[in-house]
Amino acid sequence: MDIDPTKDRVNFALSDTGSGGKWMSSLKGVRANKWTHLAVTSDGLKMKIYINGELNRVVADAPAKIFASKANLHIGAWYGRDKWFQPFKGLIDEAAIYSRALSGDEILKHFVKGSAKGGVEGLVRDTNRKPIAGATVKVGLFSTKTDDKGRFNLPEVPEGVYRVVAIKKGFQRKAKRNLEVEAREDSIVNFKLAPDTTAPSVSAVKTANLASLTTEIVWTTDEPAGSTVKFGTASGKYTMTAGDASYTKSHSVALTGLKPKTTYYYVVASVDMAENVSQSKQQSFTTGKLGDVIIWDTNKKYLMKGPLRHAMADRDKWTQVPYGVTDYTFRGDPIIQNKYSQLFLFTNKEDSVDYAARLETGGLAGNEIYKVNDIGRRCFGMGTTYTKILVNTPDKMVVEHAGLSTRRGKADNVVTNYTMHANKPWLEIVPVDFVNQQGMHGKTRICAFVLKDGGEVLFDSKRAGYKK
């Protein structure tokens, strides 16, 4: 971990090999000449940065393990090539390393316990200057309620700079930014809230990308509001919910884990910042028939090495591309599956894409598929530049896929077509452009080989790879 004062941010890195590694940065930095509580965690799936007890909004995917160095631990400077680099200019106190990832609540308690504190108090009134009782006032992560005279008091707020928000149902919320809380001093903040009892107007409710296992419900509102879909398989009985609490006028909620050939009934609801609620009339949709071969949109670009385990951990966020749709723009990285195997066309340009057998135990066994333009040096098509769907039926999927290769300083797309059939334990590969070698890593149940002429290839997920 380091602090970059030139870009006003905190950087955090982990490596599973002792070099390179996965880096992430916070969205905000630390103040000069003020104590700041910093914490970084990794649970083997996600890397997180906390500044003064608050989780940074950017969360990165973590390496599966952390390299155990035999070198000395250094705090306050980088050490390498027998000299020190970038010494920290400031004070460091109570540094600690744990054998597990602390929770957000634990980190917040550490921050509060070790910080000097000040107070925040004030009044919340309406536009007629009448006190508003029961309003919620939030100072960063700390909150309280107003009394019957509209007064609030938070006497133990760690020193720092905060956003203060006053919230009451039936009133427009108000916020004040950059309140500086000083140790052993009280800050006074008063609010005047305007009434708002008008619920948002909900319109244009419909399904999008309706498939066998997933769909999206989209709608609009005339003011920023949250997004909730209540749904179920019986009319008027909504046993499931999905949604997003963020405020927007254009709403889209993915429904996943649906059953094929099933009718669902749903309503949408939107809550504005004054907690006024609107709900639509009931509508319905019917999911389609499910074939054995499916193309998924993971809805995330995977930029790290070894991204498969991260994608599988995000399985509940995948959405199915409806059969028959070929003009589709992927929001994330595609995965093509049948019951025998899956092809993962991830973005990360440090690896070739992944083909894996789906084991009876529920696990996966696979490795990288090579496609190479050999011009005296082997130029691999790495990651994904684009994926185009050519055929999308319950029985057959064909995509055109481009990986990035650099030739003589020029970036080129190494292009192949991948075909997966329903109920067949293999993947067919046809070279399209800038391909004269193909192959696959070993160390799996799928054997390794290199095909020198770049011809058509078939990978059998149960046995071996061979030329067609």
Side-chain angles (χ1 to χ4, degrees), residues 4 39 51 68 92 96 167 218 234 270 340 365 374 403 417 425 427 430:
D4 186 346
I51 300 177
I92 298 175
I167 305 168
V218 298
S270 285
Y340 290 107
D374 193 340
N417 286 351
L427 177 73
V430 178

Side-chain angles (χ1 to χ4, degrees), residues 326-394:
T326 55
D327 185 15
Y328 183 86
T329 301
F330 288 95
R331 288 166 292 199
D333 292 337
I335 288 181
I336 305 173
Q337 281 184 338
N338 67 12
K339 67 181 180 182
Y340 290 107
S341 63
Q342 75 175 34
L343 175 66
F344 183 21
L345 305 176
F346 51 73
T347 297
N348 170 43
K349 300 298 192 299
E350 297 181 50
D351 289 316
S352 297
V353 297
D354 183 89
Y355 181 58
R358 302 178 70 187
L359 307 180
E360 293 178 356
T361 58
L364 295 167
N367 221 314
E368 297 172 87
I369 295 177
Y370 290 151
K371 49 183 177 184
V372 182
N373 185 32
D374 193 340
I375 54 171
R377 60 186 179 90
R378 303 181 74 200
C379 297
F380 292 84
M382 306 294 271
T384 298
T385 303
Y386 69 81
T387 301
K388 294 180 183 178
I389 302 175
L390 303 181
V391 178
N392 179 9
T393 72

Side-chain angles (χ1 to χ4, degrees), residues 219-233:
W219 70 98
T220 60
T221 51
D222 62 347
E223 63 173 311
S227 311
T228 300
V229 179
K230 296 181 282 186
F231 62 106
T233 55

Side-chain angles (χ1 to χ4, degrees), residues 252-396:
S252 178
V253 175
L255 307 185
T256 62
L258 304 179
K259 296 180 180 179
K261 299 177 65 175
T262 302
T263 297
Y264 290 86
Y265 301 88
Y266 71 95
V267 294
V268 305
S270 285
V271 182
D272 67 14
M273 295 183 187
E275 300 183 23
N276 301 303
V277 184
S278 282
Q279 182 170 292
S280 70
K281 294 180 180 179
Q282 178 179 276
Q283 295 183 210
S284 66
F285 63 85
T286 301
T287 54
K289 178 182 177 181
L290 180 64
D292 178 57
V293 61
I294 303 171
I295 186 164
W296 298 98
D297 188 340
T298 62
N299 296 299
K300 180 178 178 178
K301 302 287 187 181
Y302 291 89
L303 304 176
M304 74 297 295
K305 286 182 69 67
L308 178 59
R309 66 189 184 89
H310 296 288
M312 298 309 294
D314 297 333
R315 176 67 181 80
D316 61 340
K317 299 180 178 65
W318 299 1
T319 50
Q320 181 187 354
V321 181
Y323 293 124
V325 173
T326 55
D327 185 15
Y328 183 86
T329 301
F330 288 95
R331 288 166 292 199
D333 292 337
I335 288 181
I336 305 173
Q337 281 184 338
N338 67 12
K339 67 181 180 182
Y340 290 107
S341 63
Q342 75 175 34
L343 175 66
F344 183 21
L345 305 176
F346 51 73
T347 297
N348 170 43
K349 300 298 192 299
E350 297 181 50
D351 289 316
S352 297
V353 297
D354 183 89
Y355 181 58
R358 302 178 70 187
L359 307 180
E360 293 178 356
T361 58
L364 295 167
N367 221 314
E368 297 172 87
I369 295 177
Y370 290 151
K371 49 183 177 184
V372 182
N373 185 32
D374 193 340
I375 54 171
R377 60 186 179 90
R378 303 181 74 200
C379 297
F380 292 84
M382 306 294 271
T384 298
T385 303
Y386 69 81
T387 301
K388 294 180 183 178
I389 302 175
L390 303 181
V391 178
N392 179 9
T393 72
D395 300 314
K396 183 180 180 181

